[in-house]
Amino acid sequence: MERIIFIDVDGTLCDVDGTVPQSAITAIQTARKNGHKIFICTGRAKSEVYPSIFAIGFDGMVGSAGAYVECGDEVVFHKSIEEEALKELIGYLEENNIAFLLETTKGVYLKKEDKEELEKIFKRSNMAKNGAAEEFVSLMHAVENIHDIKNVNKVLYFRAPLDIEIMQERLKEHFLILPNSIGGFGENSGEISDKNINKSTGIQKVLGYYGKTKESVIALGDGANDVEMLKFAEVGIAMGNAWDYLKEYADEVTDSVKDNGIYNSFKKHGLI
């Protein structure tokens, strides 16, 4: 049976310092040779995915936590945040002195002063190893007027003086707020997305494109934005290093990123 496998990036494909184990690369490339389709399924916008990750070789991507989908080179789904909702969100973040990044398919944008602060935060984090911090910062663009940015898929925030629960209550009409899935942003950080979009939304667009059913789906993840993906998949797999919260929704738990979790799960399910 041909499978379609969806793999989260941060904490699943790569470790907190950005390292992708060679065993994961081997598993992905071998599974594709065996006739299976492999997609990255990430909270990151396409513009935030490192070229070295794309170079591994995938059949497409579900990006921006489900708001952007590519099958091959074809964009099959793209849902930006509505302009009025985005305007309200930015206003709220600015009023509360919360630093933020606007993620779009073409780039990631933030204020100059926020970029400078984020660079300092990254240098103190695990992302400082292996050049991951520098690579991520290089993808960001400081702009004079953040309000000019359009077609925003998702928003990342950091340096928040408010608890996530307070923010969610205030913004619940349009948005879902989850803890940040990208390491290095600090504890008071998170990701804000359209409350009606999640990774399973994007997965269903992929299935529709290929005429497949959910019985063909295997998904691997580690964080809060992977819950719907694992619940939807025929086989939902949590990494050994996954949040305990996510493991409650998984069909099974594999080993951690460092302990060849992807390779071992692929082997178990006969993909390689």
Side-chain angles (χ1 to χ4, degrees), residues 91-99 159-162 170:
Y92 175 80
L93 296 173
E94 290 181 330
E95 288 170 10
N96 289 280
N97 194 33
I98 300 172
R159 199 196 64 209
L162 303 175
R170 172 61 178 81

Side-chain angles (χ1 to χ4, degrees), residues 61-87:
M61 73 172 296
V62 174
S64 298
Y68 179 84
V69 180
E70 281 186 358
C71 293
D73 295 324
E74 184 178 349
V75 178
V76 299
F77 180 70
H78 185 196
K79 179 68 167 62
S80 300
I81 297 172
E82 298 292 339
E83 287 193 18
E84 283 302 312
L86 179 64
K87 181 179 179 180

Side-chain angles (χ1 to χ4, degrees), residues 248-263:
E248 296 177 7
Y249 295 95
D251 296 304
E252 59 188 67
V253 178
T254 186
D255 299 301
S256 68
V257 176
K258 291 181 179 179
D259 293 325
N260 307 314
I262 288 179
Y263 184 93

Side-chain angles (χ1 to χ4, degrees), residues 13-15 17-25 28 52-53 56 257:
L13 178 62
C14 61
D15 212 341
D17 62 1
T19 301
V20 178
Q22 181 57 48
S23 65
I25 297 173
I28 290 165
S52 58
I53 289 179
I56 294 170
V257 176

Side-chain angles (χ1 to χ4, degrees), residues 138-182:
S138 72
L139 302 175
M140 301 177 188
H141 307 282
V143 294
E144 292 293 330
N145 190 352
I146 199 73
H147 297 270
D148 289 340
I149 305 303
K150 307 296 182 184
N151 300 315
V152 174
N153 299 340
K154 192 163 68 71
V155 177
L156 293 182
Y157 73 86
F158 62 100
R159 199 196 64 209
L162 303 175
D163 291 337
I164 192 171
E165 293 82 8
I166 294 174
M167 295 176 64
Q168 179 63 80
E169 179 61 28
R170 172 61 178 81
L171 299 168
K172 65 183 180 181
E173 180 180 357
H174 300 292
F175 299 105
L176 173 67
I177 306 179
L178 295 171
N180 204 327
S181 60
I182 301 176

Side-chain angles (χ1 to χ4, degrees), residues 203-236:
I203 290 174
Q204 291 175 69
K205 299 298 181 182
V206 174
L207 296 180
Y209 181 85
Y210 289 112
K212 299 291 186 179
T213 63
K214 65 175 292 184
E215 284 71 30
S216 64
V217 175
I218 296 176
L220 297 94
D222 76 296
N225 67 6
D226 296 318
V227 170
E228 289 81 5
M229 175 174 76
L230 264 60
K231 287 171 65 177
F232 176 82
E234 180 69 12
V235 182

